[in-house]
Amino acid sequence: MTRSDAAPKARGGVGYGMDLEAPGMLWAALVRAPVPHGRIVRMELGPARRMPGVVAVVGPDEIRTLLPKGALEAERPVFPLDEIRYRGEPIAAVAAETLEQARHAAAAVVPVVESLRTDARIEDVFPEWPSAAAAKDPRVVGHVHARHGDVEARFRSADLVHSETYHTSGVHQVALEPHACLGEARGGKFRVRTSTQTPFGLREDLASILGIFESSLVVEGTWVGGGFGGKGAAFLEPYALLLAVASRRPVKLSVTYAEEFELGRTTLPSIIRLDTAVRGGKIVGRRVRLLLDTGASLPGRDFAVGYSIGFLLGPYRTETYEIEGFAVQTNKPPFGPHRAPFAPQSVFALESHIDGLARRLGVDPIEFRLRQVWREGDRTAYDQPVGPFGLEAGLKAAARTAGAWRTRLPAGHGIGVACGFWSTSVGAGGEARLSLRPDGLVILQGEREIGNGSVVHGLAVVAERVLGLSLAAIRVDYGDTATAPFDSGVFGSRTLGALGQAVERGARSLVTILAKRVGASEIHLEIKSGQVLVVAGRRRHKLVDLLTPTERAEGGLVVEGKFYGPEREVDASRVLAGSVYPYQDFTGAVHLAEVEVDRETGHLRVVRYAAFQDVGTAVDPSAVQGQVEGGVVMGLGAALSEEMLWTPEARLANPGLLDYRLPRLRDVPPIHVELIEGFAGAGPFGAKGVGEPPIIPVPAAVANAVADATGTRVFEMPLTPERVARALKLL
Amino acid sequence: MSENSLGLSLNGKPRHFEKVPDAERLLDTIRWRAGLKGTKEGCRTGDCGACMVLVNGEPTLSCLVLSREVAEEKITTIEGLSTEKVGRLVIAAFEEAGAVQCGYCTPGFVVALAAQLGGRGPPPPLETLLDGLEGNLCRCTGYLAIQKAVAAAREAI
């Protein structure tokens, strides 16, 4: 099935945030903090205001003078009012007739700054592993502690305790399209057009930052040139909108790639300690200790720890455990979501650990996982039921492929396996308005297509399946937050599963209504000569003849489809501090990597790859394949080369594509994709979300292949040649 | 004609712009003066390939070229290319292969591939064509669907 947006995009015919333009528009640029931690003693904006072409310059004072009082009380005001918390944090902004003029004027603002002590890394905050009392340190912005069962007894009676520490690095989303938006403000009403994954979430976020009511603000999404989690929360919009107030003109703000990297809400480093107790060849206890760098985040970040630790127990039955994690504030930019937030790095640690444990026990790594992997009916670590789950089937399929690969494995090559699980955010609700018109169906909803096809293509396919109407007669339409029904956003592999269910429900009510009108128990729709027909057995009715006068006047039969999933609950007695993430709607993936290790340089070459993806039902198998291939290759970047490098002064040393290496076309190995179907998910027709899971096991699969090839484990990701060479004692 | 005016041959048509700074990049002239936004702005450092155009048929990163440098040359953007046979063919191949996701890189890929397939004589070997796309980044597809599109476009030419 080809996507309706493919050819227009290939012709360069769709508009992204970067392409936004408005009559009378000004261009904006940011003034950014010269130190990672400090106070602004003095900042003269006057000289910049007098520069050629400059129309407005705004700083902390303008929050007070131009916005309602609430803007001063925002958790994170437009500009910092007290402390600069990371290097490059925007502290003022300029709007001018041209971009060049704006950037010149921004560069002319030179604040006098008093520097404060910098915590560049987790180790700067906690040189030693923190005790529980560390939760009171003001730089701990999240703390979660959970336990279940008699962990101590299980560790005392274990046959073997396996203990390791892993380190992970920061990874940037690098959506090809930089962030960009266009803000307008007139008479207390605000409008922003922006490249966003979450128009409604962004409206809420912006209203709180600007100190205004949500009803005073309209967010309109554009086509999104890649999101991967990086285009959700407020980013450039507050600056553009404040400048629009100050200048009374539309203001366009986009950033350079260097700014993308330096402002990025990205993955940040973590340190993970794992201890696993084994008895009788099975896991009987686990201790997890986690330190998560959350950058310049403010208190209340328990969820970052809660998300991470779930992945450190794994998709395995764990009879007893104790987990404790701290979110640590440093002077890097605040962390942000990246495709499958917190999963690839946590899973790198856990799946490396499990693999090493299997090898230590002399058990085949796939066989060892099969002994404890979740099956339907199992309970999770927080006592939630595991529904239909395809990981066991995936492991068995992977075992066959691994066996075939191993029969012809050259010297110096190794095969690694890794599992990952994911919980799609199906519960995050959404709505869609379906208008069945005499010439076709229009689905009005609030999301813009970010690339995976779940909106422009997936929602149409759901309606096609329910109604029987051909794709050509179905159009997915977009509104802004004032005209479209609410939806939670394109994130969490939820779009098809949740918004798709809203469309499915809407389509089913159309069927019910029309069946009643023609007096039949079953109907479907067809399109003939541009006319929608309602087919009931051998009878065919023109839709237009079945509409009421009101419906004809309104252009068609309009229904609302709504889906709000059930609240999920965890066993709260197991959570001693903070909160854990209530996983739901499980999906999983098993990956295999064959890797060749250069024993002189430490360079890795991924020779071939296989991904076994639990998808429930593949609503469009070719679209699923595209998600798996794309996720695997993004994961290979994180496994092999992608790493944000910070200096001890919290300066990002590689803010650009020259030094932050993404996978290129010739880096990609052959990828065998196998869809595991039959373990129905909560989405339409049993679908499970598939956007995020394929990235999760990749770094672990590569690391396990290196261990298989060399007998040496690498405890840090990415597995750069330098790290591999060190592990092999070549350096 | 004023001192700061600039003439360009864009998609076979002469275009004329006033008050163009000497340091203006071809990418910006194309997008903001000619209004041809199919040429995408990515990194502006020559690393991503999203801004690729043809200058006298040669694939060129428009973010690294000053407009004044190419005032005498023939410039073809994705908008021009998509009306030519080779462009249409490449676009159809990308569509059919499922090689378009967010689409931000796609015009650059189409330009880079069409440049290699547009010559007279038999098309270059597949491996050569794939090497010719090393300068184009894609973050969504993992490149495998793009490789399928390249093979299909080569067959179709």
Side-chain angles (χ1 to χ4, degrees), chain A residues 2-3 6-7 9-12 14 16 18-21 27 172-174 176-178 224-226 228 252 257 450-451 626-627 629-630 633-634 642 657-658 662-666 668-669 671, chain B residues 21 31-32 37-38 40-43 47-48 50 78-79 82 91 95-96 100-107 109-110 127 130-131 133-137 139-148:
Chain A
T2 59
R3 285 169 52 168
K9 283 174 168 174
R11 287 194 295 266
V14 314
Y16 299 85
M18 284 293 280
D19 302 329
L20 287 167
E21 207 174 348
W27 292 86
H172 197 288
Q173 299 89 355
V174 198
L176 222 49
E177 178 204 20
V224 179
F228 312 113
K252 169 82 179 278
Y257 258 44
I450 73 166
Q627 285 309 294
E629 290 173 357
V633 173
M634 197 176 229
E642 289 183 41
L657 295 180
L658 191 62
L662 300 182
R664 288 183 179 270
L665 188 142
R666 282 306 212 180
V668 174
I671 301 173
Chain B
R31 282 173 56 81
W32 300 109
K37 293 182 189 165
K40 293 300 169 206
E41 177 176 344
C43 66
D47 295 302
C48 80
I78 184 68
E79 288 88 351
S82 55
I91 289 166
E95 183 186 24
E96 286 299 317
V100 183
Q101 288 193 27
C102 88
Y104 206 73
C105 71
T106 315
F109 270 99
V110 170
E127 297 299 308
L130 296 176
D131 285 342
L133 300 177
E134 273 285 89
N136 293 80
L137 284 175
R139 196 59 161 160
C140 297
T141 64
Y143 302 103
L144 293 170
I146 291 175
Q147 294 186 29
K148 273 187 215 154

Side-chain angles (χ1 to χ4, degrees), chain A residues 607-628:
Chain A
V607 180
R608 55 181 160 178
Y609 204 92
F612 305 85
Q613 179 64 47
D614 175 15
V615 292
T617 305
V619 172
D620 180 344
S622 66
V624 172
Q625 171 125 359
Q627 285 309 294
V628 176

Side-chain angles (χ1 to χ4, degrees), chain A residues 79 139 337 387 406 443 449 533 593 639 685 704:
Chain A
F79 299 114
R139 294 166 298 179
R406 199 160 297 274
I443 302 168
E449 177 58 51
L533 303 178
F685 322 111
N704 291 340

Side-chain angles (χ1 to χ4, degrees), chain A residues 537-566:
Chain A
R538 267 181 283 172
R539 286 181 296 137
R540 287 175 143 69
H541 310 262
K542 279 186 183 171
L543 173 76
V544 70
D545 298 334
L546 300 174
L547 298 179
T548 65
T550 315
E551 287 163 359
R552 260 182 239 155
E554 285 173 349
L557 175 56
V558 181
V559 297
E560 303 265 339
K562 298 184 183 191
F563 173 76
Y564 290 88

Side-chain angles (χ1 to χ4, degrees), chain A residues 463-509:
Chain A
E464 177 200 32
R465 288 260 187 113
V466 176
L467 299 172
L469 203 55
S470 68
L471 274 184
I474 301 172
R475 197 176 86 225
V476 177
D477 214 347
Y478 312 92
D480 57 33
T481 54
T483 58
F486 169 82
D487 184 60
S488 303
V490 180
F491 64 85
S493 301
R494 68 166 287 278
T495 315
L496 190 75
L499 186 54
Q501 280 193 76
V503 170
E504 184 187 8
R505 289 175 181 201
R508 292 202 192 285
S509 40

Side-chain angles (χ1 to χ4, degrees), chain A residues 111-190:
Chain A
V112 177
V113 173
E114 174 199 350
S115 275
L116 297 170
R117 175 205 147 93
T118 298
D119 294 316
R121 306 173 309 149
I122 293 170
E123 292 88 340
D124 295 339
V125 179
F126 294 122
E128 304 289 326
W129 202 279
S131 67
K136 294 197 183 82
D137 189 304
R139 294 166 298 179
V140 168
V141 293
H143 175 227
V144 177
H145 186 196
R147 61 175 290 152
H148 176 60
D150 192 346
V151 191
E152 289 75 15
R154 294 307 181 101
F155 271 81
R156 270 197 309 274
S157 62
D159 301 334
L160 177 79
V161 173
H162 191 55
S163 300
E164 291 172 331
T165 301
Y166 288 87
H167 290 255
T168 70
S169 298
V171 178
H172 197 288
Q173 299 89 355
V174 198
L176 222 49
E177 178 204 20
H179 286 80
C181 67
L182 196 152
E184 292 169 84
R186 208 160 285 153
K189 295 281 180 193
F190 297 78

